[in-house]
Amino acid sequence: MIRRPPRSTLSSSSAASDVYKRQVLDIEGQTVETELNKLHAAAMGSTAGTFSSTKLFDQNAPTIYLINPRKEKLMPGTNPVAPQDAEEEFTYRYRYAGAGASQVWLAKKKFVVADVAAGPMSLGAMNDHKGSASMLSIPRSADFHVQSGSVFTAKLVGLVRRVVQHMFIADIQHPTHETAEKIYIPLLVFRNHRQFDPLDKSSGDFQIDVAQIEKQVNKMLLPNQKAHVMAETLNVGDHVHVSMALARAVRDNTVLQVVPGHSKFYGSKESHYEMRYRRYLDSDIIRYEFNRSSHMLDSVGPEMSMLRKRKELWNFFHPMVPPVLDRNELHGHSRLTLSQGVRVLPVYVFSLLQLQHQLLIDQNSLVSSSQESIFVLQPEPNTVQMPNFIDKTRLSPPKQDSTTQQIVAGLMSGLGGLVPPTARWSPLHGREVHDWALAVGCQPWAPFSATPELSELASSMVLRNFILTNLNSAQHTVWKVLSRLDHFTHKYLYDPFAERAKGEIGFFLSLATDTSVSESPFPMHTVNALNAEMDKLRAKMQRIVELVEQSKLTQAYTPASSLVERARAFEVYAETELETAESALSCCSVEHRTSKVVDTHAVIYISGSAILVFSCVILMFRAGSQAPRRRRFG
């Protein structure tokens, strides 16, 4: 599809202005991905092809494909275009599932595509231009002769580094070390209207595809987990706690906004900014109101049949009310707890129509996720403007069928612990930074995506997060035990006059090998058991790290799943032995004395010499201060 771009910028002679005067060709990334999958399979040696005899890459490793196609071959039409004229005639960019516009996009397989012949293009956030994608941050082969080769190389290296940081070794949103075998995902849709039922197929574009959600959830699960997705539509007016939580979460924020009818991008002299109030929903307040309510859902009628059939769900939403009782018979019943190995992650969808103000969650999104709950907003169509832009044009409102996509994005963060590929925590800045050049592709995070599909890379990141979280938890547990052993060593076993005591915790290792040590508050079998268990934990951690470095996540899952339990068992055993040893030594006190005889005569001689030298210094100082001073005559 070829479209005519918007007007150019003020500087008509600049290179940026000339770029936006050209025709723009939008290429669908999914079409190109079909051919790249064949190349990827051949390079990995999984199919018969050009590279099948020599396997180039590891099949489990993520890959970056840098392509530079012949641009004159992409020009539609019968009129041929010379290679030197192709750059002046048109530009092209990639969309994925009809959304976004970028030179870089994430494929469904484990690879990322970067086209250096595409562009230039720009996309990002309107109120914060940090991290926006443009010709300044993405390399282009057409600029290789205009700029120096070192500049092109620096941009290319920077792009590869950002892809690795944001996609291949992405941050962890929430720790996923728990091993719940059964996961309940109740999807509760609260609506303030009766125009349509989002769970009914007759709703058309407003329908929430529960089957698609369940399909994508199965990609986020660990090998031993099983998820149950169930949905139900409720009226928000029937639940007072939900209505009050939404009312209390409405907040106003003052922002700078361009006066309607003018654009801040094209440099119009008449355009100016005004202070406007933007109303939004604060997800922290909604989550706080939901968590503090001991009886979240007021209605316990037939519409709650989904909860009555499953005791775990009822205990989660009605922790003080058994299923056989009414909500008014609340007194005298203790809180029920979920059974071990069961997790409930509720998804609340607020289908709100005919509102006086445009609402977003936390000012810039339609979804908010945490480990406890997920909130999704389904607004009225064509009413909500996302604060983002593509090629200096404000992004159009989200599609009506984007609610399913928002739910999957929330589950990826809440259930899988993933972060959007555009976000990363920067230790240098001390805050979250964004890179909008990586916002297009097979991923459900809005606003530059229109598919609820998860890529194979995202699925592998869920498993990687679980392994890394277990490694981190086990490491903290071991360091806690070592700290406890260090404290015990300093209190009872530290000898300040012995050279070998400088090793602190190394005492336990030397105790097991040094036969000259005859006295110890620990039996020898206890010392040997502590050393042996520490060696096993260290070897197991090293093996897991090696498998993760080789991208063998499936093989690393089995030892990582039992690592935390083994570290905790080691902590309990060490703590028990230390408490036993401390109780045995509680009647004693530790006193350090030197066994060397002090030479009294040497001490007297040294003290007398020091006093004599001090006296001489004092006398010399007084003699110098009493000397007569000479007068100067001018």
Side-chain angles (χ1 to χ4, degrees):
M1 178 184 71
I2 296 181
R3 68 174 185 87
R4 183 65 60 182
R7 295 175 295 172
S8 62
T9 57
L10 263 179
S11 178
S12 58
S13 61
S14 63
S17 302
D18 295 337
V19 164
Y20 292 108
K21 291 179 180 179
R22 308 168 194 170
Q23 292 180 343
V24 180
L25 175 63
D26 290 331
I27 299 179
E28 178 56 47
Q30 291 179 327
T31 305
V32 182
E33 183 180 0
T34 304
E35 300 299 326
L36 288 177
N37 285 338
K38 301 177 183 179
L39 176 64
H40 184 70
M44 297 301 170
S46 58
T47 59
T50 308
F51 308 107
S52 59
S53 59
T54 58
K55 188 175 180 180
L56 297 182
F57 309 106
D58 186 2
Q59 190 174 0
N60 298 319
T63 312
I64 303 176
Y65 286 102
L66 297 174
I67 60 177
N68 185 20
R70 298 181 62 179
K71 193 172 182 179
E72 65 274 7
K73 299 293 184 180
L74 300 176
M75 183 67 182
T78 57
N79 297 329
V81 180
Q84 62 273 15
D85 298 333
E87 181 65 22
E88 301 296 333
E89 291 292 332
F90 75 100
T91 62
Y92 70 95
R93 59 192 187 178
Y94 289 94
R95 292 180 177 270
Y96 200 92
S102 179
Q103 296 177 237
V104 186
W105 47 278
L106 173 65
K108 195 171 183 179
K109 299 290 185 179
K110 286 186 179 181
F111 63 87
V112 178
V113 181
D115 191 344
V116 295
M121 36 64 60
S122 62
L123 72 162
M126 296 185 63
N127 297 329
D128 185 9
H129 291 277
K130 297 177 181 178
S132 298
S134 64
M135 64 176 66
L136 300 177
S137 59
I138 302 180
R140 296 186 66 246
S141 57
D143 300 333
F144 184 80
H145 301 288
V146 179
Q147 302 173 348
S148 62
S150 58
V151 174
F152 177 83
T153 305
K155 289 183 180 180
L156 187 59
V157 172
L159 177 62
V160 173
R161 177 183 60 84
R162 283 146 47 199
V163 170
V164 172
Q165 287 181 338
H166 286 257
M167 293 186 175
F168 296 167
I169 52 173
D171 292 345
I172 299 176
Q173 182 79 15
H174 309 293
T176 56
H177 56 80
E178 64 172 277
T179 56
E181 297 181 358
K182 187 182 295 184
I183 301 176
Y184 288 108
I185 304 178
L187 179 61
L188 302 179
V189 182
F190 295 93
R191 58 175 180 172
N192 66 341
H193 59 86
R194 294 188 178 275
Q195 297 183 11
F196 58 88
D197 185 359
L199 299 179
D200 194 353
K201 295 182 179 180
S202 61
S203 301
D205 294 337
F206 297 97
Q207 180 196 1
I208 297 176
D209 193 348
V210 181
Q212 180 68 254
I213 295 173
E214 191 167 5
K215 177 182 177 181
Q216 302 306 320
V217 166
N218 291 331
K219 298 180 182 180
M220 312 176 200
L221 300 179
L222 299 175
N224 64 331
Q225 290 181 335
K226 186 176 181 180
H228 302 273
V229 181
M230 56 216 75
E232 192 160 349
T233 303
L234 308 173
N235 294 321
V236 68
D238 297 337
H239 303 273
V240 179
H241 288 83
V242 177
S243 301
M244 294 178 62
L246 291 176
R248 291 171 180 172
V250 176
R251 290 292 183 269
D252 290 329
N253 185 32
T254 305
V255 295
L256 286 173
Q257 187 173 348
V258 181
V259 176
H262 303 282
S263 175
K264 64 179 179 180
F265 293 113
Y266 306 134
S268 174
K269 296 181 180 179
E270 299 179 358
S271 61
H272 60 280
Y273 293 91
E274 289 185 358
M275 301 295 293
R276 298 292 178 88
Y277 288 99
R278 178 178 296 172
R279 188 155 291 184
Y280 66 96
L281 291 176
D282 194 331
S283 61
D284 292 335
I285 297 179
I286 302 178
R287 191 167 286 109
Y288 171 76
E289 294 292 335
F290 275 36
N291 292 337
R292 69 191 291 263
S293 176
S294 60
H295 191 64
M296 191 180 303
L297 302 178
D298 296 299
S299 177
V300 292
E303 64 179 3
M304 289 286 101
S305 59
M306 174 185 70
L307 307 183
R308 289 181 178 274
K309 293 179 181 179
R310 294 173 175 84
K311 181 180 178 182
E312 294 88 352
L313 290 182
W314 185 275
N315 295 343
F316 181 82
F317 289 103
H318 304 272
M320 300 292 291
V321 183
V324 298
L325 299 179
D326 188 73
R327 60 184 295 268
N328 296 323
E329 303 180 15
L330 185 63
H331 304 286
H333 298 281
S334 60
R335 178 178 292 272
L336 302 176
T337 58
L338 295 176
S339 58
Q340 189 176 4
V342 177
R343 179 186 178 186
V344 178
L345 181 60
V347 179
Y348 305 100
V349 180
F350 306 113
S351 181
L352 307 178
L353 303 183
Q354 299 178 357
L355 300 178
Q356 296 180 356
H357 302 274
Q358 301 179 7
L359 286 181
L360 288 174
I361 297 180
D362 297 333
Q363 305 185 44
N364 56 7
S365 178
L366 294 173
V367 60
S368 175
S369 62
S370 68
Q371 286 185 291
E372 295 82 17
S373 57
I374 298 171
F375 302 126
V376 179
L377 181 62
Q378 186 183 38
E380 195 168 354
N382 301 324
T383 58
V384 176
Q385 289 283 345
M386 302 299 294
N388 301 90
F389 68 90
I390 293 180
D391 283 348
K392 304 186 181 298
T393 304
R394 183 159 186 166
L395 198 64
S396 58
K399 296 182 179 180
Q400 300 173 0
D401 57 349
S402 64
T403 307
T404 302
Q405 174 188 345
Q406 305 292 342
I407 295 174
V408 174
L411 289 171
M412 286 186 67
S413 298
L415 183 60
L418 302 180
V419 298
T422 59
R424 182 180 66 88
W425 176 261
S426 173
L428 177 63
H429 301 85
R431 60 178 176 84
E432 184 182 86
V433 296
H434 293 270
D435 189 355
W436 295 104
L438 311 175
V440 181
C442 185
Q443 49 93 7
W445 279 286
F448 300 107
S449 174
T451 174
E453 291 283 339
L454 268 73
S455 64
E456 293 184 4
L457 182 61
S459 300
S460 64
M461 288 297 103
V462 174
L463 190 58
R464 186 208 66 144
N465 290 353
F466 172 79
I467 296 172
L468 293 183
T469 305
N470 279 14
L471 276 174
N472 184 65
S473 300
Q475 183 182 12
H476 279 282
T477 302
V478 171
W479 277 111
K480 184 179 178 181
V481 175
L482 293 180
S483 235
R484 181 78 171 86
L485 292 174
D486 188 21
H487 176 73
F488 182 86
T489 303
H490 275 282
K491 187 175 181 180
Y492 296 104
L493 307 177
Y494 180 66
D495 185 2
F497 304 103
E499 189 67 24
R500 62 178 175 80
K502 296 181 180 180
E504 298 180 356
I505 302 176
F507 170 83
F508 293 96
L509 184 60
S510 62
L511 188 63
T513 56
D514 191 0
T515 56
S516 62
V517 180
S518 58
E519 296 182 0
S520 171
F522 293 106
M524 290 303 300
H525 67 86
T526 302
V527 176
N528 293 331
L530 288 173
N531 287 325
E533 190 63 26
M534 290 177 64
D535 291 339
K536 290 179 181 179
L537 284 174
R538 182 171 61 251
K540 195 172 186 179
M541 290 182 180
Q542 291 177 351
R543 177 56 180 166
I544 294 174
V545 171
E546 292 175 358
L547 293 175
V548 172
E549 290 178 349
Q550 299 172 6
S551 299
K552 298 179 180 180
L553 301 179
T554 306
Q555 301 179 16
Y557 168 76
T558 302
S561 59
S562 59
L563 183 62
V564 177
E565 287 76 9
R566 189 163 187 172
R568 291 174 180 172
F570 171 66
E571 180 185 13
V572 172
Y573 176 74
E575 186 66 28
T576 303
E577 294 297 333
L578 288 175
E579 290 179 355
T580 304
E582 284 182 340
S583 62
L585 296 173
S586 59
C587 61
C588 308
S589 61
V590 180
E591 183 179 356
H592 301 285
R593 294 180 180 179
T594 178
S595 58
K596 185 177 180 179
V597 179
V598 180
D599 191 351
T600 309
H601 298 285
V603 173
I604 295 174
Y605 291 151
I606 294 174
S607 302
S609 301
I611 294 173
L612 181 61
V613 171
F614 181 74
S615 302
C616 293
V617 171
I618 294 298
L619 292 175
M620 291 176 62
F621 178 76
R622 289 184 177 180
S625 61
Q626 295 177 359
R629 299 181 180 179
R630 296 181 180 179
R631 297 183 179 180
R632 295 181 181 180
F633 299 94

